Amino acid sequence: MPDIAIGELAARSGVSVSAIHFYERKGLVESRRTAGNQRRFAREALRRIAIIRMAQQLGIPLADIARMFAALPEPGRATRRDWQAMSRRWAADLDRRIALLQSLRGHLDDCIGCGCLSLARCNLLNPKDALSASGTGPVRLRQRNG
Amino acid sequence: MPDIAIGELAARSGVSVSAIHFYERKGLVESRRTAGNQRRFAREALRRIAIIRMAQQLGIPLADIARMFAALPEPGRATRRDWQAMSRRWAADLDRRIALLQSLRGHLDDCIGCGCLSLARCNLLNPKDALSASGTGPVRLRQRNG
DNA sequence: CTACAACCTCAACATAAGTTTAGGTCAAGA
DNA sequence: TCTTGACCTAAACTTATGTTGAGGTTGTAG
């Protein structure tokens, strides 16, 4: 099974052709060209796109994914260990997100209890408690900013 | 304590003046005007913005928040029960999100195990398993789409 | 009365992640 | 050979969530 055309890659990976063009422009996937200037993708591209989609579900922006990919060794030469490292980093990220959501969820229970009618009483809306030390207003969690 | 000017609202709520302008254009907050055409906000605006920020942390788009607000009774007449209903809906949403991330997290563990070198073996990357019945490619979860 | 900060509107710009459109090329079958 | 579908590029458009800037007004302190 040789390289595949973009249409097939799109069909197999579940993303649109235009999205693949876009990913290529962003350096997320690579292709070689046929004599007639058509793209041909190695099977690796299929995995890359799968990883892109997965990472997006985790809320990771394409730029970050691109950086991760860039940190891999030569294209096509990524070792099992490399992919594992990537997975581990994402797992850690995920854990952080889950923890944040769960903390928020806990506050929301308080909120349901108080009916949110009193700024003074509501734990979630009132920034004047322990959690607000890091900024103005009800800044409780601030995802991805560096 | 009467109505407050936009600068003070910004300072107290922790969002920028331009963001408040923007929220107003989107119908998320309301204001009356002074003789000199300056905005004056009721205290309710403070709570509204707190709620907006909270909801954003939950990943809820402004349009959804606007719809929630629109579903409330007359502005300023929202009852405790109304806010509770809103909180409960958001809590449910949060629960769904948390469940999704956790499922993803579980798959990621498999992925770390397999090193992601084999599309055939990796549970997360391979769409050909039970979870993929609902579309092309590795569509595993599809947040907010209706 | 004069400064100056805070306010106003409107329009343009920014970023992410693509999609759409327009105009042209390539490959394969009838 | 002709047609059709897959492919190519480039640029414009889209949605969300604001920020920035230009140019003008208000309100308050000295």
Side-chain angles (χ1 to χ4, degrees):
Chain A
M1 34 183 87
D3 294 352
I4 60 181
I6 195 167
E8 197 185 335
L9 180 58
R12 286 209 207 164
S13 65
V15 311
S16 66
V17 168
S18 69
I20 296 174
H21 282 165
F22 179 75
Y23 295 156
E24 197 181 44
R25 279 205 303 287
K26 294 289 173 178
L28 287 154
V29 290
E30 283 180 358
S31 62
R32 62 175 196 79
R33 298 297 180 114
T34 64
N37 196 34
Q38 299 200 352
R39 292 171 179 84
R40 288 298 178 266
F41 295 88
R43 301 193 61 71
E44 158 122 340
L46 209 42
R47 172 157 55 238
R48 290 236 176 177
I49 293 182
I51 291 178
I52 291 166
R53 287 175 62 70
M54 189 186 77
Q56 285 188 306
Q57 287 162 9
L58 306 190
I60 297 170
L62 287 187
D64 290 14
I65 305 172
R67 238 175 289 124
M68 296 261 201
F69 281 167
L72 292 174
E74 307 163 36
R77 286 263 152 258
T79 67
R80 175 181 160 128
R81 199 171 291 279
D82 294 319
W83 293 118
Q84 282 184 338
M86 209 156 89
S87 302
R88 243 188 287 274
R89 249 173 299 175
W90 285 346
D93 194 271
L94 242 195
D95 284 341
R96 241 174 290 124
R97 283 161 195 278
I98 289 173
L100 282 172
L101 286 188
Q102 278 172 339
S103 129
L104 218 35
R105 181 62 176 82
H107 285 297
L108 205 45
D109 276 337
D110 299 347
C111 202
I112 290 172
C114 82
C116 279
L117 272 178
S118 156
L119 274 177
R121 271 168 66 217
C122 182
N123 231 355
L124 241 188
L125 296 182
N126 190 353
K128 294 250 186 292
D129 63 12
L131 276 144
S132 72
S134 49
T136 332
V139 178
R140 224 150 251 291
L141 33 85
R142 216 54 207 137
Q143 304 120 311
R144 63 189 44 276
N145 228 336
Chain B
M1 34 185 85
D3 293 352
I4 61 181
I6 196 167
E8 197 184 336
L9 180 59
R12 287 209 208 164
S13 65
V15 310
S16 66
V17 168
S18 68
I20 296 173
H21 283 164
F22 179 75
Y23 294 156
E24 195 181 43
R25 278 205 303 287
K26 295 290 174 179
L28 287 155
V29 290
E30 283 180 359
S31 60
R32 61 175 196 81
R33 297 299 178 111
T34 64
N37 196 34
Q38 299 200 352
R39 291 171 180 84
R40 288 300 177 263
F41 295 88
R43 299 192 62 70
E44 158 119 341
L46 209 42
R47 170 156 56 238
R48 290 238 177 176
I49 292 183
I51 290 178
I52 290 167
R53 286 176 62 70
M54 187 186 78
Q56 285 188 306
Q57 287 162 7
L58 306 191
I60 298 170
L62 288 186
D64 289 15
I65 305 173
R67 238 174 288 121
M68 295 262 202
F69 281 167
L72 292 174
E74 307 163 36
R77 286 263 151 259
T79 67
R80 176 181 160 129
R81 200 170 290 278
D82 293 321
W83 293 117
Q84 282 185 340
M86 208 155 89
S87 303
R88 241 188 287 274
R89 249 173 300 173
W90 284 346
D93 194 89
L94 244 195
D95 284 341
R96 240 174 292 124
R97 282 162 196 278
I98 290 174
L100 282 172
L101 286 188
Q102 277 172 340
S103 128
L104 221 32
R105 181 62 176 84
H107 286 297
L108 205 44
D109 276 336
D110 298 348
C111 203
I112 290 172
C114 83
C116 279
L117 272 178
S118 155
L119 275 177
R121 271 168 65 219
C122 182
N123 232 354
L124 240 188
L125 296 182
N126 189 353
K128 294 251 186 293
D129 62 14
L131 275 143
S132 73
S134 47
T136 332
V139 177
R140 227 149 250 289
L141 33 84
R142 217 52 206 138
Q143 305 120 310
R144 61 186 46 277
N145 229 336

